[in-house]
Amino acid sequence: MADYSNKLYHQLEQETGIQTGYIRTGSVFLAQTQDRLISLKRINSRLNVIGIPSEIISPKKVAELHPLLNVHDLVGAMHVPEDAVVSSADVALALASAASQNGVQIYDRTSILHVMVKKGQVTGVETDKGQIECQYFVNCAGQWAYELGLSNEEPVSIPLHACEHFYLLTRPLETPLRSNTPTIVDADGRIYIRNWQGGILSGGFEKNPKPIFTEGKNQLEIQNLQEDWDHFEPLLSSLLRRMPDLETLEILKLVNCPETFTPDMRCIMGESPSVQGYFVLAGMNSAGLSFGGGAGRYLAEWMVHGYPSENIWELDLKRFGALQSSRTFLRHRVMEVMPLLYDLKVPRWDFQTGRQLRTSPLYDRLDAQGARWMEKHGFERPKYFVPPDKDLLALEQSKTFYKPDWFDIVESEVKCCKEAVCVIDMSSFTKFEITSAGDQALEVLQYLFSNDLDVPVGHIVHTGMLNQAGGYENDCSIARLGKRSFFMISPTDQQVHCWAWLKKHMPEDSNLLLEDVTWKYTALNLIGPRAVDVLSELSYAPMTPDHFPSLFCKEMSVGYANGIRVMSMTHTGEPGFMLYIPIEYALHVYNEVMSVGQKYGIRNAGYYALRSLRIEKFFAFWGQDLNTLTTPLECGRESRVKLEKGMDFIGRDALLQQKQNGVYKRLTMFILDDHDTDLDLWPWWGEPIYRNGQYAGKTTSSAYSYTLERHVCLGFVHNFSEDTGEEQVVTADFINRGEYEIDIAGHRFQAKAKLYPVTSLFTHKRRKDDVELSDLHGK
């Protein structure tokens, strides 16, 4: 988005004749620590492959680029030479002028009273100067977006909150700074510095931000916010350490203006889940100008075509639920988010505020047994369980790009899943029930889902909801509970998006009942070869594959509790069962399972063990490996699509076309070869993949496989033509014939590519070099 904005602003002056103050200065990102340098190297390796020039440079080179900087405490930096500065007011004027020339009408000094909605669709806007009819409305009201969203007849929840943001302006230096002096970002010092009329403009993101306007509607003019020198002092000290010559410089003023921030540091865009035609673009986290051009482009595509040209699920309004719109939550969260913009973010960090919001009934029991928690869509989920003899505090504070401190703990949980039985609380998964009086439930679902759901009662189908282009809007499992009743399980963060998609595509006059039952059921995943023994003993029913085949669902009693939905699947490829337990029975069933399981070596496990198991089994997850631009054919899931059944479903035409033409990317499994788990940097996600020395894609998720004793990455391989750079068809043969490397922070590691999971239990004594990994299904 920033790259597109840069190119757009560059050409605005030519197109409109309005000077935007565009000057290509370049940016230099400083590193005071080795960890910060690693973080910059990871970013640098990604920028290079998407066509944005950047390089890692030495402190000496930094001093050459900006002679006034003190570089003695630096270990390195990243230089992005094509970055630029512009005047935000002039860019706004140029865009408005260009829009007017193209027929857009602009009413300034006009306030919106509310958006008019009829039957869930935008119909117009009521202003203080009268009504304007419209089909589409974009809420890009910045710090007022939250209030404006709530002012409609049908409220739209837009979670963002304003904080005060300070920056300093100085008079010109004795020898005024050149206009092309690079912009400096000193994240460890929490400041940024740029040239301003021969002097300095410097601001930052302090550790103790000041949220404002929590009480509600504000009509403050921006310039009314007060200077606060005491509050700015740490940033000023940091600036003087970085540029000692400023001591004698005259300060013009300290500007204080509101900036809005979102609960996860990413902007908010897309269509409201509750009102059709109501779009949002807000919460820019102090990067409005950088991202504005690109964000505007994607939103325009979204409105015109129904979807943007890139996967931007991470920015979609529907990633949030109403639960993230509590004022108290937002106030506390933005106080954490604003400093995080410049904090060092190592893999697997978690927010500290707004926690314990949604919890399973087992939360206290698991917490007492050493559970360490992560949060997803407001839901607490166990990462792993710290044994009694481990130092809890040290584990919580260990942050690294290398081998993490939880490595041995997760290893023992994975081993238990392989050899005995583990319990993972997976209550956060989104759960819907779809029923009808007649056959309509089946008819509608057959059109909405890609796999055949007309299966015998009690069977489970892995399927997906696809868009017109054949991409995954959702990846889910559906159990047929009765002739007219279906139970659907989706990823945790799909709760709002999936509901909105179903509602949008279901016939309006239908007698279908769609119910969100996420909160009604606690879900326990019993993984491992002894799961069958535990359940047989608790239910007095045979649970062997002969009596209870794979992908089968049955309501039964477990212990004293009745009506437990037991499913023979685990989301990891290991043997075991999912138990969907009515919430009031959760504690009883959990206690019974743990009690009976003692003799089978049962223990608790968390999501890190689950990740390791599912990645080594080549199980792709939505939101990580799969998205709206990924089709089932591109990730080896043709068997989950009813193409040959002659039934129409959303995305079918696109898939038939793709089957005929071939796929242009393919999900592939990579096993790192020359990687030392103890000493080398770990892959996490987003690392560039090279095939025969040429960039071919990037990783989408990764984990250490305790079975293979290697790191395993999943990622998409593309076939870019060496002559034109255009994408060509990717065949299995193309994947198998390549020599692969994964780039981790600028260092390339050799990797073996697989299109199928590998089964191989290595003995610890054999040298890794001698081991030939064998395919499960052969070539």
Side-chain angles (χ1 to χ4, degrees):
M1 278 159 51
D3 189 42
Y4 181 85
S5 301
N6 191 348
K7 288 166 180 159
L8 173 71
Y9 303 156
H10 185 49
Q11 69 195 42
L12 265 184
E13 218 162 288
Q14 286 173 308
E15 284 185 27
T16 63
I18 294 172
Q19 293 206 333
T20 58
Y22 183 97
I23 301 167
R24 188 159 279 173
T25 59
S27 296
V28 180
F29 297 81
L30 309 181
Q32 294 180 30
T33 65
Q34 286 299 333
D35 271 351
R36 177 71 67 182
L37 191 60
I38 289 168
S39 174
L40 291 176
K41 284 177 176 176
R42 287 174 62 84
I43 295 166
N44 181 63
S45 67
R46 294 183 203 184
L47 291 181
N48 287 333
V49 295
I50 58 170
I52 299 175
S54 73
E55 61 172 338
I56 299 297
I57 58 174
S58 67
K60 187 177 170 202
K61 177 75 173 165
V62 173
E64 287 171 19
L65 288 167
H66 201 310
L68 293 177
L69 288 190
N70 167 18
V71 298
H72 80 276
D73 59 344
L74 301 182
V75 295
M78 179 174 77
H79 183 213
V80 185
E82 290 185 6
D83 273 359
V85 293
V86 284
S87 155
S88 51
D90 294 335
V91 165
L93 189 63
L95 288 168
S97 165
S100 296
Q101 287 165 18
N102 284 287
V104 171
Q105 285 176 284
I106 295 174
Y107 300 89
D108 58 0
R109 301 203 172 276
T110 306
S111 58
I112 289 186
L113 305 177
H114 70 273
V115 179
M116 299 180 293
V117 177
K118 197 171 183 181
K119 290 186 178 173
Q121 170 80 42
V122 168
T123 59
V125 180
E126 176 117 27
T127 77
D128 60 348
K129 295 179 184 168
Q131 290 186 357
I132 303 171
E133 286 187 10
C134 62
Q135 282 177 286
Y136 294 93
F137 172 76
V138 182
N139 181 339
C140 45
Q143 58 175 323
W144 291 281
Y146 180 98
E147 318 295 341
L148 181 56
L150 296 184
S151 70
N152 314 329
E153 291 154 22
E154 196 158 328
V156 173
S157 163
I158 304 165
L160 48 77
H161 198 295
C163 286
E164 296 183 23
H165 180 56
F166 299 88
Y167 60 89
L168 187 74
L169 298 173
T170 76
R171 294 205 181 279
L173 279 75
E174 217 169 283
T175 309
L177 280 181
R178 295 193 325 276
S179 61
N180 64 349
T181 303
T183 297
I184 301 298
V185 178
D186 182 2
D188 295 315
R190 314 198 72 81
I191 54 167
Y192 57 85
I193 309 164
R194 54 166 278 204
N195 168 57
W196 184 74
Q197 299 178 1
I200 291 289
L201 183 159
S202 178
F205 298 100
E206 64 274 29
K207 285 189 172 178
N208 55 335
K210 296 168 70 176
I212 40 176
F213 311 141
T214 305
E215 305 71 41
K217 208 156 193 174
N218 74 80
Q219 292 302 333
L220 264 179
E221 287 292 331
I222 283 177
Q223 52 265 41
N224 284 358
L225 291 176
Q226 301 297 309
E227 287 187 349
D228 188 339
W229 283 102
D230 289 343
H231 190 78
F232 191 71
E233 195 280 327
L235 299 182
L236 180 60
S237 299
S238 192
L239 172 63
L240 292 174
R241 273 196 306 277
R242 190 56 60 214
M243 293 181 73
D245 293 1
L246 295 188
E247 281 280 11
T248 55
L249 203 60
E250 189 184 342
I251 289 168
L252 201 59
K253 62 177 169 181
L254 179 63
V255 180
N256 178 3
C257 60
E259 279 282 1
T260 53
F261 299 88
T262 63
D264 60 1
M265 299 184 290
R266 296 195 290 266
C267 70
I268 298 174
M269 58 196 296
E271 191 173 15
S272 151
S274 52
V275 181
Q276 284 196 27
Y278 191 116
F279 284 80
V280 176
L281 179 48
M284 302 305 286
N285 303 287
S286 201
L289 198 63
S290 308
F291 296 151
R297 171 196 171 185
Y298 288 140
L299 196 74
E301 292 172 346
W302 213 322
M303 294 167 77
V304 174
H305 305 301
Y307 50 87
S309 56
E310 296 279 341
N311 166 47
I312 50 178
W313 163 246
E314 291 189 333
L315 312 179
D316 193 326
L317 170 65
K318 293 185 278 291
R319 72 187 186 271
F320 294 120
L323 61 103
Q324 280 102 347
S325 283
S326 134
R327 282 197 186 279
T328 312
F329 167 81
L330 287 170
R331 183 182 176 87
H332 290 177
R333 176 55 71 83
V334 294
M335 289 171 75
E336 178 183 13
V337 161
M338 192 171 154
L340 272 170
L341 290 172
Y342 274 5
D343 278 354
L344 184 68
K345 290 175 285 295
V346 297
R348 311 265 185 277
W349 58 271
D350 298 290
F351 288 109
Q352 302 302 306
T353 53
R355 297 296 297 270
Q356 297 180 13
L357 188 56
R358 303 173 75 193
T359 58
S360 141
L362 306 176
Y363 179 86
D364 286 346
R365 283 299 309 271
L366 301 178
D367 197 54
Q369 293 177 76
R372 299 294 95 189
W373 300 94
M374 63 197 282
E375 171 256 335
K376 183 89 168 199
H377 203 61
F379 222 115
E380 296 293 331
R381 317 200 302 185
K383 297 191 279 195
Y384 50 79
F385 287 77
V386 179
D389 55 336
K390 284 266 185 187
D391 180 353
L392 291 181
L393 206 63
L395 260 173
E396 280 299 270
Q397 291 166 348
S398 72
K399 293 177 166 68
T400 179
F401 291 102
Y402 290 89
K403 179 181 178 179
D405 287 350
W406 42 257
F407 183 84
D408 296 340
I409 294 175
V410 175
E411 178 175 30
S412 58
E413 290 180 11
V414 166
K415 195 175 175 202
C416 187
C417 288
K418 297 271 187 192
E419 297 173 4
V421 56
C422 274
V423 181
I424 303 181
D425 183 347
M426 294 177 67
S427 304
S428 67
F429 272 25
T430 297
K431 301 173 273 288
F432 292 163
E433 277 178 13
I434 303 142
T435 51
S436 64
D439 293 334
Q440 204 170 11
L442 180 64
E443 288 165 18
V444 170
L445 293 185
Q446 287 286 55
Y447 178 65
L448 288 180
F449 290 89
S450 59
N451 208 344
D452 188 2
L453 297 178
D454 194 4
V455 292
V457 171
H459 284 253
I460 302 166
V461 177
H462 290 315
T463 182
M465 291 194 300
L466 308 183
N467 49 39
Q468 293 294 353
Y472 278 104
E473 290 294 330
N474 182 16
D475 177 45
C476 51
S477 303
I478 297 183
R480 190 169 193 179
L481 302 178
K483 291 288 277 182
R484 304 179 177 102
S485 169
F486 297 86
F487 183 59
M488 173 180 170
I489 303 140
S490 305
T492 302
D493 53 3
Q494 273 278 14
Q495 196 166 7
V496 177
H497 175 236
C498 181
W499 178 270
W501 182 268
L502 287 168
K503 279 288 187 193
K504 188 175 181 177
H505 291 88
M506 282 179 165
E508 281 181 28
D509 58 345
S510 76
N511 61 358
L512 274 183
L513 179 67
L514 171 66
E515 188 186 359
D516 185 341
V517 295
T518 301
W519 62 276
K520 282 189 177 180
Y521 292 95
T522 296
L524 289 184
N525 195 348
L526 254 64
I527 300 181
R530 306 312 297 264
V532 60
D533 300 313
V534 175
L535 267 191
S536 300
E537 205 165 312
L538 277 172
S539 60
Y540 287 95
M543 302 295 292
T544 57
D546 299 342
H547 301 91
F548 208 108
S550 182
L551 292 181
F552 193 68
C553 171
K554 189 175 173 184
E555 285 209 350
M556 52 198 294
S557 57
V558 175
Y560 297 149
N562 210 349
I564 313 294
R565 288 176 185 167
V566 179
M567 303 187 184
S568 46
M569 57 184 264
T570 60
H571 301 285
T572 63
E574 301 294 328
F577 302 90
M578 286 292 307
L579 310 185
Y580 287 91
I581 308 158
I583 208 154
E584 66 268 34
Y585 299 144
L587 208 51
H588 168 75
V589 172
Y590 174 77
N591 289 340
E592 290 289 297
V593 165
M594 293 306 278
S595 172
V596 167
Q598 288 301 313
K599 58 174 171 285
Y600 301 111
I602 201 164
R603 63 179 289 170
N604 293 299
Y607 270 75
Y608 285 7
L610 186 86
R611 171 185 291 267
S612 175
L613 290 167
R614 70 101 179 162
I615 286 178
E616 73 178 22
K617 284 283 198 299
F618 208 166
F619 269 44
F621 270 23
W622 196 92
Q624 294 171 48
D625 313 296
L626 312 177
N627 59 46
T628 52
L629 300 179
T630 314
T631 73
L633 308 190
E634 292 164 349
C635 54
R637 291 183 164 193
E638 208 169 317
S639 60
R640 296 189 181 186
V641 180
K642 56 190 176 199
L643 278 179
E644 310 309 327
K645 297 273 194 302
M647 279 177 282
D648 193 26
F649 59 88
I650 298 175
R652 181 172 186 258
D653 292 347
L655 293 186
L656 286 170
Q657 186 84 43
Q658 194 177 47
K659 193 171 181 185
Q660 200 175 334
N661 299 343
V663 296
Y664 286 80
K665 62 180 179 188
R666 183 70 193 260
L667 187 65
T668 308
M669 178 175 177
F670 296 96
I671 297 151
L672 293 191
D673 261 359
D674 56 345
H675 183 270
D676 189 316
T677 310
D678 295 322
L679 302 177
D680 289 326
L681 284 168
W682 275 32
W684 295 97
W685 61 274
E687 289 84 13
I689 300 165
Y690 287 87
R691 179 186 181 275
N692 299 346
Q694 188 186 359
Y695 174 65
K698 57 179 192 267
T699 64
T700 50
S701 59
S702 72
Y704 182 79
S705 163
Y706 295 95
T707 315
L708 304 174
E709 296 180 355
R710 301 278 217 303
H711 258 97
V712 177
C713 303
L714 306 185
F716 284 93
V717 172
H718 299 251
N719 181 1
F720 299 114
S721 160
E722 286 189 42
D723 304 325
T724 62
E726 286 183 13
E727 292 199 51
Q728 300 170 307
V729 171
V730 174
T731 60
D733 190 46
F734 176 83
I735 301 280
N736 292 329
R737 279 188 297 110
E739 296 283 326
Y740 293 90
E741 294 168 308
I742 308 289
D743 178 330
I744 306 176
H747 186 102
R748 295 190 192 180
F749 294 92
Q750 290 178 352
K752 281 200 172 71
K754 301 284 168 191
L755 287 170
Y756 302 100
V758 294
T759 54
S760 175
L761 288 162
F762 296 126
T763 56
H764 290 267
K765 295 187 182 72
R766 288 170 65 186
R767 284 183 61 240
K768 289 185 179 178
D769 309 356
D770 301 335
V771 174
E772 263 308 306
L773 301 168
S774 56
D775 277 357
L776 182 63
H777 303 297
K779 282 280 189 277

